[in-house]
Amino acid sequence: MAFPYMEAVVGFMILVYFFETYLDLRQHAALKLTTLPKTLVGVISQEKFEKSRAYSLDKSHFNFVHELVTILLDSAILFYGILPWFWKKSGSFVVLAGFNEENEILHTLAFLAGVMIWSQITDLPFSLYSTFVIEARHGFNKQTIWLFFRDLFKGICLSILLGPPIVSAIILIVQKGGPYLAIYLWAFMFVLSLVMMTLYPVFIAPLFNKFTPLPEGRAQGEN
């Protein structure tokens, strides 16, 4: 009798979910305490403590719902074999687009594109609620709905621009790596991390955030 690997994976995921939920419940119970901790007496006011506690409670409630939906979706996807089914459909899409289904790079890119679309769709309601309900309720949201979707669009465009070359390179390394596959992959990821560390603050971060230079004068904290 074959070992039920899929059931074991789903069961382990659910077990981890229950354990993390137990820890979150303990933290949630601590957030309900209205007394200012002794270590914070004289550091922050009772009013600021109450505001922080209310915000944390809202985030905690939201996290419970988000994590529950996530584990249900992930378990269903694994249990009902959605990923293998979608892999086959991705191959059909590659053929429909006029390419060879046996092209592993194109097949993988089509599969990952579908996964990204699914992820964006399922996560969008939670992102909207977190940003425009919870964050706005506590005065932390400065983003308009236009800016939200503009940043979302920019993120998708970056994924389309950067994802295919990286994924293609990894697949080629796996195909051609031979006995030195692990070394080649490590070297590629090391170089990639250095390149991204260089490009991110110069080209990527400014797409989503506005940076202004510090005013001239002594640096903060300088003696």
Side-chain angles (χ1 to χ4, degrees):
M1 181 178 178
F3 183 79
Y5 290 101
M6 187 269 294
E7 289 82 357
V9 170
V10 174
F12 180 75
M13 287 172 50
I14 295 175
L15 183 64
V16 171
Y17 164 75
F18 279 121
F19 177 70
E20 292 180 344
T21 301
Y22 164 73
L23 297 179
D24 290 337
L25 285 171
R26 288 175 59 90
Q27 180 64 27
H28 188 80
L31 291 173
K32 289 184 176 181
L33 299 177
T34 58
T35 305
L36 185 66
K38 293 181 179 180
T39 54
L40 295 179
V41 174
V43 179
I44 64 172
S45 64
Q46 183 69 30
E47 181 183 1
K48 289 184 177 180
F49 172 72
E50 288 296 334
K51 289 181 179 180
S52 174
R53 192 176 68 87
Y55 174 68
S56 298
L57 280 172
D58 275 354
K59 294 285 287 185
S60 180
H61 284 123
F62 172 79
N63 181 67
F64 285 132
V65 176
H66 189 200
E67 292 301 318
L68 176 61
V69 173
T70 299
I71 189 63
L72 290 176
L73 284 176
D74 290 347
S75 299
I77 287 172
L78 288 177
F79 190 80
Y80 291 104
I82 302 299
L83 290 179
W85 172 82
F86 191 70
W87 175 260
K88 293 181 180 179
K89 291 297 181 180
S90 300
S92 301
F93 177 79
V94 171
V95 173
L96 188 63
F99 299 102
N100 184 6
E101 183 181 1
E102 299 301 320
N103 188 314
E104 191 173 356
I105 292 178
L106 293 179
H107 196 160
T108 303
L109 291 177
F111 174 78
L112 293 178
V115 171
M116 184 184 73
I117 293 173
W118 167 257
S119 177
Q120 292 289 346
I121 292 174
T122 55
D123 196 55
L124 182 59
F126 294 103
S127 297
L128 287 171
Y129 186 86
S130 176
T131 302
F132 296 103
V133 177
I134 296 179
E135 300 294 328
R137 179 185 299 160
H138 297 276
F140 296 132
N141 179 44
K142 305 299 181 184
Q143 195 176 39
T144 64
I145 192 71
W146 156 249
L147 289 177
F148 176 88
F149 280 104
R150 188 189 67 177
D151 287 348
L152 180 63
F153 178 74
K154 288 180 181 179
I156 293 174
C157 290
L158 277 175
S159 298
I160 295 174
L161 180 65
L162 300 177
I166 295 174
V167 172
S168 300
I170 292 175
I171 293 175
L172 286 174
I173 292 173
V174 172
Q175 291 175 339
K176 309 294 184 181
Y180 300 103
L181 168 63
I183 297 176
Y184 294 149
L185 272 179
W186 173 84
F188 173 75
M189 297 306 297
F190 177 73
V191 172
L192 178 63
S193 64
L194 292 179
V195 172
M196 293 305 297
M197 287 172 59
T198 304
L199 295 180
Y200 180 81
V202 179
F203 298 105
I204 298 177
L207 294 175
F208 302 93
N209 302 281
K210 182 179 180 180
F211 297 94
T212 55
L214 291 173
E216 294 185 4
R218 293 194 307 173
Q220 185 177 9
E222 181 180 336
N223 294 325

